[in-house]
Amino acid sequence: MNPDKQPLNKMMNRIRAEVSQQKLEIYRILVNTTHFCVKEELAFLKFRGLCCLLQARNGLKIGENYLSNNGMLSFVKSISAVEKQKTITEIRDVRFLSALSDGSTDRSQTEEELVYVRYCKDGSPVTRYVNIIDIEHADAPGTLAAINKGLQSVGLDDITLPSKLACINLDGASVNMGKKSGVATLIKREIPHALVIHCIAHNLELAVLDAVKGDTYIHGKFEDTLKGVIKIYQYSPKMRRELNSVALFLEKATSQFGTVQQIRWLASQERAIYAFAKNIQVTVTHLENLANGKNDNAARARAF
């Protein structure tokens, strides 16, 4: 007689299946909550609150396991590993791809290289994050080594990379675009058919800067005024509340100024100027009232 068909064994198998299904459901909830926290750039400390308060109040019993920073970190690593494996599988199946790379500096002032790849999937272009690699030496060979290390993490080694790499996108830094020993030159030596593209956004930025190079008004008074006004509201919730109160009194709609750090590329400059123009009447009225005071903000307002 088959032991699995005996009443007691059948009951135990059913209980084990139900328990296993319950655990899978709990893990699914925890993984989805982790994904939400990461996607929304929430602090790890929010994870336990979301699980205990929100999920529990919705009638979901998820227990106490993994409800910690280390528990969330384990889910983050698992999600990252799954997503990276998806990228590796997609890269393995594509014929050609492009690499995109840019330098960055973390909070410890360590120089790093961010690496992405771009290819066609089901007829549409997609861009995938590959890796962020510490740069041991900030010269062209060191930067290229970091790029290669990042690409190797998704299966693009010395054998597969030359056959798949169609082009690489870099910014205009001399370490990248130097004609004699830049990263672009080193790549062309290894993969002659690869196209090297100077980052379009960076190239456009340089072209516009050249076009207005002799205009002291744009590079001087206008830019200083724009950034100065934004700083007044960026660092002071009180100033923003007062500005909103003036807008309400004047029955005018306003746009958020953003931050000075965001005013870098042309697109962000355009948004800042649009917000400045839309808010001009409200801002001038508020600064005029502010200038009557005797604090530091009053002095700055009078200057503008």
Side-chain angles (χ1 to χ4, degrees):
M1 184 176 181
N2 190 342
D4 289 337
K5 292 184 179 181
Q6 294 181 12
L8 180 59
N9 290 339
K10 287 176 64 178
M11 182 183 69
M12 294 303 299
N13 289 337
R14 185 173 68 253
I15 291 174
R16 280 194 291 267
E18 290 176 355
V19 171
S20 178
Q21 191 62 36
Q22 289 174 358
K23 286 185 176 180
L24 286 176
E25 181 63 17
I26 290 172
Y27 289 143
R28 186 187 67 81
I29 293 170
L30 293 173
V31 168
N32 287 341
T33 305
T34 299
H35 186 270
F36 172 80
C37 289
V38 174
K39 196 75 173 177
E40 296 298 321
E41 300 181 2
L42 299 179
F44 275 32
L45 293 175
K46 300 287 186 181
F47 177 68
R48 183 178 180 85
L50 283 172
C51 292
C52 291
L53 296 178
L54 185 60
Q55 307 285 24
R57 288 185 179 181
N58 286 332
L60 300 173
K61 297 180 181 180
I62 56 178
E64 290 292 325
N65 293 332
Y66 297 103
L67 299 186
S68 64
N69 289 356
N70 289 334
M72 180 179 173
L73 181 60
S74 66
F75 289 123
V76 170
K77 290 181 177 180
S78 297
I79 293 171
S80 175
V82 171
E83 292 300 320
K84 174 161 283 191
Q85 188 57 49
K86 289 180 181 178
T87 301
I88 292 174
T89 301
E90 290 177 0
I91 288 175
R92 185 182 59 206
D93 295 336
V94 300
R95 294 181 61 193
F96 307 109
L97 55 80
S98 300
L100 301 89
S101 180
D102 193 16
S104 181
T105 305
D106 67 8
R107 290 185 178 181
S108 65
Q109 300 303 308
T110 301
E111 292 195 49
E112 299 171 323
E113 197 73 14
L114 285 81
V115 184
Y116 293 80
V117 290
R118 186 170 174 84
Y119 49 85
C120 283
K121 178 185 177 184
D122 299 327
S124 299
V126 295
T127 303
R128 297 283 189 251
Y129 165 77
V130 171
N131 215 328
I132 180 167
I133 304 295
D134 290 346
I135 298 179
E136 295 183 8
H137 304 286
D139 54 8
T143 302
L144 180 58
I147 294 172
N148 285 333
K149 185 176 180 180
L151 294 174
Q152 287 169 4
S153 69
V154 289
L156 292 169
D157 54 24
D158 295 339
I159 298 175
T160 57
L161 184 62
S163 63
K164 288 183 179 287
L165 186 67
C167 71
I168 184 167
N169 185 299
L170 304 165
D171 67 22
S174 58
V175 69
N176 289 327
M177 304 303 288
K179 291 186 178 180
K180 292 185 178 180
S181 58
V183 172
T185 301
L186 298 179
I187 290 175
K188 292 291 286 184
R189 289 175 186 170
E190 296 178 7
I191 311 175
H193 64 265
L195 298 176
V196 177
I197 298 177
H198 185 175
C199 172
I200 302 300
H202 190 256
N203 218 356
L204 179 60
E205 185 78 10
L206 294 176
V208 172
L209 289 176
D210 284 343
V212 299
K213 184 166 52 180
D215 193 325
T216 56
Y217 173 76
I218 290 179
H219 277 300
K221 190 172 184 180
F222 178 78
E223 187 172 354
D224 291 343
T225 301
L226 177 64
K227 290 184 177 180
V229 169
I230 289 175
K231 279 184 179 180
I232 287 181
Y233 299 105
Q234 175 184 346
Y235 298 112
S236 175
K238 180 175 179 290
M239 293 295 102
R240 293 197 294 271
R241 286 197 301 271
E242 291 181 1
L243 183 71
N244 291 332
S245 297
V246 173
L248 187 63
F249 177 78
L250 296 177
E251 298 181 345
K252 295 286 186 180
T254 58
S255 294
Q256 187 174 352
F257 278 119
T259 65
V260 174
Q261 289 84 355
Q262 292 173 333
I263 307 175
R264 184 179 177 188
W265 301 105
L266 287 178
S268 57
Q269 291 174 1
E270 181 183 21
R271 288 192 294 270
I273 293 171
Y274 171 81
F276 187 78
K278 185 176 180 180
N279 300 345
I280 189 69
Q281 182 180 353
V282 176
T283 304
V284 168
T285 302
H286 180 235
L287 291 178
E288 286 177 344
N289 293 331
L290 190 63
N292 295 325
K294 295 183 179 180
N295 55 22
D296 291 340
N297 284 331
R300 295 166 66 187
R302 284 193 293 272
F304 291 129

